[in-house]
Amino acid sequence: MTISDIAKELGITPSTVSRALSNSTRVNEKTRLKVQLVAQRMGYHPNVMASSLRKGTSGTIGMIVPRINRHFFSNVICGVERIVNPAGFNLLIYQSDEQHDKEVLGLQTFLKNRVAGIIISLASDTDDYSHLQQLSGMGVPLVQFDRVKDDLQGAKIVNDNFNGAYLGVKHLIKSGYKRIAHLAGALHLNVYNERLNGYLAALKEIGMGYDDRMIVTNVITRDAGADAITKVIDAGADAVFCAGDYSALGAMLEIKKRGLIIPDNIGVLGFANEPFAEIMSPALTSVEQNAFEIGNRAAQAIIQMIEKKDATINTEEVVPVRLIVRESTIKNNCLTF
Amino acid sequence: MTISDIAKELGITPSTVSRALSNSTRVNEKTRLKVQLVAQRMGYHPNVMASSLRKGTSGTIGMIVPRINRHFFSNVICGVERIVNPAGFNLLIYQSDEQHDKEVLGLQTFLKNRVAGIIISLASDTDDYSHLQQLSGMGVPLVQFDRVKDDLQGAKIVNDNFNGAYLGVKHLIKSGYKRIAHLAGALHLNVYNERLNGYLAALKEIGMGYDDRMIVTNVITRDAGADAITKVIDAGADAVFCAGDYSALGAMLEIKKRGLIIPDNIGVLGFANEPFAEIMSPALTSVEQNAFEIGNRAAQAIIQMIEKKDATINTEEVVPVRLIVRESTIKNNCLTF
DNA sequence: TTGTAAGCGTTATCAT
DNA sequence: ATGATAACGCTTACAA
């Protein structure tokens, strides 16, 4: 079922059919209608591979995320689709599984498919960026979000991680906690680095200073959270700011297991506001990221770059975050709050 | 950067380069190595659009899910990728958002992209199947999973919904609950229909009979769960089997709000074993679906159909489920358990 | 307004 | 083992 079939059926040429179907002005209104009718009737579906081969560009945008089943990432995906689909693009989604190798593999697939642009959030594993560096030279637009590498060409959309952490820790301080620990992530990733800095800034502001034993790094998973919390409790922590909700979850379960009370003995603050944060008891105070908005902006950025055919811009947008205060950080006997 | 560029560079013809790159036997070993080296050095990426246009088929598999951010679906996606990527296919993912129109739109995009096959779980909204009926005639393999329409051509991979419901309700009965309600889903979907039947079968087996007021349909969301639970409590329910964890969640929150105790006053059983089920307090008893396995099987099925070039098979595989018993269904004063 | 024809990058067929 | 050539389905100058 091709354009030529329709042409034969109507006794006209393929070019006219092509024009009729692509809503060109260089075609008689009657012809257009006839063609579109016949196309419909014959169950014609344009072959976009032929079309994009000819046009030299595909209407596909490639997106690489570390994990599809994280609330944050799946919602960014939704945000991207919301913009990208009505604009006539479709999304090819790849999971890197936090692995650099898979990230490279996905990228190569995208290049083979001549995607119009690439949206990515880096795998935690990735510390070599050559696969991404080549893109601007090839004229392939790149948009990074959340986990970004600063000196790569392209747009960057990030959360206000610093401020989220800062606000959260300030809140802990106001709630009366005195020795606030931090379960940090992998510090080579901007997101965790910035959260650490926000934490430090909040402490510094009130002259609290910081204690090495109060900071544990590379704590991202639930299990790691459970392990790490014991260390900081032993070091005398009465509150903990976790760089992610999963580590916060692990910490909370471990704290309960030890018979301590949240928030009275220990306050817990998370980051990401995963759906379970609200449901837990006590409900987990967390920093909400506007995933959908990030997706929207990433989509707008990539579409703009595609339309301007410019892969060499270098912008950064910071999306605000919001502290959601719940039970896990409000002492029942707290007077200062 | 094309095959011809490489050919010129080496002073040979495009055909030889093509053969060298596709590991054909009809090429000298030395030539192959030379070609592959140069391709590497020049940063060549094959143009799959040209290739699939020529070959008449793309290496892309299209997948449509109602929602990407449901634990079940995102894990099915992982399961599909696990099989499909190593086999040299890539996955185009679409969300229908439970809307028939978006489902049709996604399908059309797939057809335009000449996908090699389509994997789908139906939108709850879908009750017209003509967009899917046309596929087998077009030679496009279709695999349905979870939410399936029986009389469509193609493979079907489903959960053992009946048995999951049956086991769950039997467990409620053993736990000593006497008046078991059911918050059912949309009954035109096989999954909810089968769960209802499993519920009825378990009741029937012990001669419990059923009470109209004990069954509320179209309860899928958290809010709907909260609404519906009050109805069945008023009708005297002392336990509720929810067709999904989200409605169970809504029900539990509402029950707590009313000052009733789970599981002592009311037992709650869910379905899907979403991650939050384990975390809630009391932890929610739920039926676990093996999403990853379903994804694996769906992938294997579609690959088989693609390789056999047969879109007209009609098989159904039932994947077993598992009841995960937690606190929400075990009365503290229960002697019968 | 419509037709003609070339070409996008590949691969398959045929010939050498 | 390699080369020449046509074709996949579409778009787009250019010509009519």
Side-chain angles (χ1 to χ4, degrees):
Chain A
M1 185 55 24
T2 74
I3 259 187
S4 309
D5 296 326
I6 300 176
K8 269 176 212 153
E9 179 80 12
L10 286 167
I12 57 180
T13 59
S15 18
T16 309
V17 175
S18 172
R19 280 188 284 256
L21 291 174
S22 59
N23 289 317
S24 156
T25 54
R26 295 191 149 352
V27 67
N28 188 303
E29 196 53 39
K30 280 185 191 167
T31 324
R32 165 190 280 110
L33 290 173
K34 259 195 302 187
V35 169
Q36 287 179 342
L37 206 75
V38 173
Q40 179 88 44
R41 188 165 53 69
M42 297 176 83
Y44 169 77
H45 291 279
N47 185 328
V48 295
M49 283 169 337
S51 158
S52 21
L53 176 60
R54 173 65 232 255
K55 291 202 282 201
T57 173
S58 85
T60 302
I61 291 171
M63 182 163 180
I64 301 180
V65 294
R67 286 250 148 80
I68 212 174
N69 58 1
R70 285 277 163 119
H71 179 248
F72 174 72
F73 290 118
S74 61
N75 280 295
V76 175
I77 291 174
C78 295
V80 170
E81 281 195 332
R82 170 80 142 248
I83 302 291
V84 136
N85 284 340
F89 292 93
N90 44 69
L91 245 205
L92 205 50
I93 300 166
Y94 252 86
Q95 296 190 74
S96 64
D97 252 340
E98 304 284 12
Q99 295 167 34
H100 174 256
D101 291 355
K102 284 204 188 176
E103 189 173 286
V104 174
L105 223 60
L107 200 95
Q108 280 168 348
T109 308
F110 288 167
L111 293 178
K112 286 187 208 167
N113 280 279
R114 299 296 187 271
V115 294
I118 293 173
I119 300 176
I120 193 172
S121 188
L122 299 173
S124 66
D125 210 24
T126 294
D127 55 356
D128 170 26
Y129 307 93
S130 49
H131 56 306
L132 298 168
Q133 264 150 2
Q134 56 173 331
L135 292 178
S136 67
M138 302 171 63
V140 179
L142 175 69
V143 172
Q144 298 180 79
F145 72 93
D146 192 43
R147 300 186 190 167
V148 305
K149 169 74 176 162
D150 260 342
D151 49 4
L152 286 171
Q153 293 272 20
K156 289 160 208 86
I157 321 284
V158 294
N159 283 303
D160 196 346
N161 291 295
F162 178 92
N163 210 33
Y166 175 82
L167 288 176
V169 175
K170 288 276 282 189
H171 159 74
L172 287 174
I173 294 167
K174 269 195 233 144
S175 295
Y177 296 104
K178 301 294 182 194
R179 287 183 56 80
I180 302 170
H182 179 35
L183 307 191
L187 296 184
H188 70 279
L189 290 175
N190 61 309
V191 288
Y192 297 117
N193 202 8
E194 291 159 8
R195 289 172 202 176
L196 170 62
N197 287 333
Y199 160 81
L200 293 175
L203 291 193
K204 192 171 181 184
E205 194 177 293
I206 58 147
M208 228 184 223
Y210 85 95
D211 179 342
D212 268 349
R213 292 176 310 158
M214 288 301 219
I215 300 176
V216 187
T217 60
N218 288 309
V219 183
I220 300 181
T221 64
R222 177 169 161 176
D223 287 347
D227 285 350
I229 191 69
T230 63
K231 291 187 197 161
V232 297
I233 289 177
D234 291 348
D238 70 347
V240 61
F241 162 45
C242 305
D245 279 352
Y246 283 90
S247 56
L249 167 60
M252 282 177 76
L253 295 176
E254 181 65 28
I255 291 168
K256 284 192 203 169
K257 199 186 283 174
R258 290 176 145 230
L260 296 169
I261 306 295
I262 305 167
D264 292 357
N265 304 128
I266 299 188
V268 181
L269 165 66
F271 205 110
N273 196 29
E274 294 281 343
F276 64 74
E278 179 193 1
I279 293 164
M280 305 183 66
S281 43
L284 174 64
T285 297
S286 191
V287 177
E288 184 189 44
Q289 308 166 293
N290 198 339
F292 196 78
E293 169 71 10
I294 289 185
N296 283 338
R297 296 214 202 175
Q300 281 158 349
I302 200 85
I303 289 177
Q304 215 165 77
M305 291 174 80
I306 292 170
E307 285 174 349
K308 289 189 182 164
K309 296 181 203 278
D310 183 5
T312 66
I313 71 164
N314 208 325
T315 61
E316 175 163 314
E317 296 178 46
V318 178
V319 178
V321 296
R322 203 161 60 104
L323 179 66
I324 311 280
V325 177
R326 298 201 183 91
E327 302 154 6
S328 70
T329 56
I330 303 184
K331 290 191 193 185
N332 292 323
N333 55 359
C334 170
L335 301 176
T336 57
F337 184 74
Chain B
M1 185 54 27
T2 73
I3 262 188
S4 309
D5 296 325
I6 300 176
K8 268 176 215 156
E9 179 80 12
L10 286 166
I12 56 180
T13 59
S15 350
T16 309
V17 175
S18 173
R19 279 188 287 255
L21 291 174
S22 58
N23 288 319
S24 154
T25 54
R26 295 196 152 344
V27 67
N28 188 304
E29 196 53 34
K30 280 184 192 170
T31 324
R32 164 188 283 112
L33 290 173
K34 261 196 299 186
V35 169
Q36 287 179 342
L37 205 75
V38 172
Q40 180 87 45
R41 188 164 53 68
M42 298 177 81
Y44 168 77
H45 292 279
N47 185 327
V48 296
M49 283 171 336
S51 165
S52 16
L53 174 60
R54 177 63 237 251
K55 292 202 279 202
T57 172
S58 84
T60 301
I61 291 171
M63 183 163 178
I64 302 180
V65 294
R67 286 248 147 80
I68 212 175
N69 59 359
R70 286 277 161 120
H71 179 248
F72 174 72
F73 290 117
S74 62
N75 281 295
V76 175
I77 292 174
C78 294
V80 170
E81 280 196 331
R82 169 80 143 247
I83 301 292
V84 135
N85 284 340
F89 292 93
N90 43 70
L91 246 203
L92 206 49
I93 300 167
Y94 251 86
Q95 295 189 74
S96 63
D97 252 339
E98 304 283 13
Q99 295 167 36
H100 175 255
D101 292 354
K102 284 202 187 179
E103 188 172 287
V104 173
L105 222 60
L107 201 95
Q108 279 167 349
T109 308
F110 288 167
L111 293 178
K112 286 186 207 167
N113 280 280
R114 299 296 188 268
V115 294
I118 291 172
I119 300 176
I120 193 173
S121 187
L122 299 173
S124 66
D125 211 24
T126 294
D127 55 357
D128 170 26
Y129 307 92
S130 49
H131 56 305
L132 298 168
Q133 265 151 2
Q134 57 172 333
L135 293 178
S136 66
M138 302 171 63
V140 179
L142 176 70
V143 171
Q144 298 179 80
F145 72 93
D146 192 43
R147 300 188 190 163
V148 305
K149 170 74 178 162
D150 261 343
D151 49 4
L152 285 172
Q153 293 272 21
K156 289 160 208 86
I157 321 283
V158 294
N159 282 303
D160 196 345
N161 290 296
F162 178 92
N163 210 33
Y166 175 82
L167 290 175
V169 175
K170 288 275 283 188
H171 159 73
L172 287 175
I173 293 167
K174 271 196 229 140
S175 294
Y177 295 104
K178 300 296 183 195
R179 287 184 56 82
I180 302 170
H182 179 34
L183 307 191
L187 296 184
H188 69 279
L189 290 175
N190 62 308
V191 289
Y192 297 118
N193 202 8
E194 291 159 8
R195 289 171 202 177
L196 171 62
N197 286 333
Y199 161 81
L200 292 175
L203 291 193
K204 192 171 182 184
E205 195 178 295
I206 57 148
M208 228 185 227
Y210 86 95
D211 180 342
D212 267 349
R213 292 176 310 157
M214 288 301 218
I215 300 176
V216 187
T217 60
N218 288 310
V219 183
I220 300 183
T221 64
R222 179 170 159 175
D223 287 345
D227 284 351
I229 190 70
T230 63
K231 292 189 196 159
V232 297
I233 289 177
D234 291 347
D238 70 347
V240 61
F241 162 45
C242 305
D245 279 353
Y246 283 89
S247 55
L249 167 61
M252 282 177 76
L253 295 176
E254 181 65 29
I255 291 168
K256 284 191 202 172
K257 198 185 286 175
R258 290 178 146 228
L260 296 168
I261 306 295
I262 305 167
D264 292 357
N265 304 129
I266 298 188
V268 181
L269 166 65
F271 206 111
N273 196 31
E274 293 281 344
F276 63 75
E278 179 193 3
I279 292 165
M280 307 184 64
S281 44
L284 175 63
T285 297
S286 191
V287 177
E288 184 189 44
Q289 308 166 295
N290 198 339
F292 196 77
E293 170 71 12
I294 289 183
N296 283 338
R297 296 213 202 177
Q300 281 158 349
I302 200 84
I303 289 177
Q304 216 165 74
M305 291 174 80
I306 292 170
E307 285 175 350
K308 289 189 180 164
K309 296 178 201 279
D310 184 6
T312 65
I313 71 164
N314 208 326
T315 61
E316 175 163 315
E317 295 178 47
V318 179
V319 178
V321 296
R322 202 160 61 103
L323 179 67
I324 311 280
V325 177
R326 298 201 183 91
E327 301 154 8
S328 70
T329 56
I330 302 184
K331 290 193 196 185
N332 293 322
N333 57 359
C334 169
L335 302 173
T336 57
F337 184 73

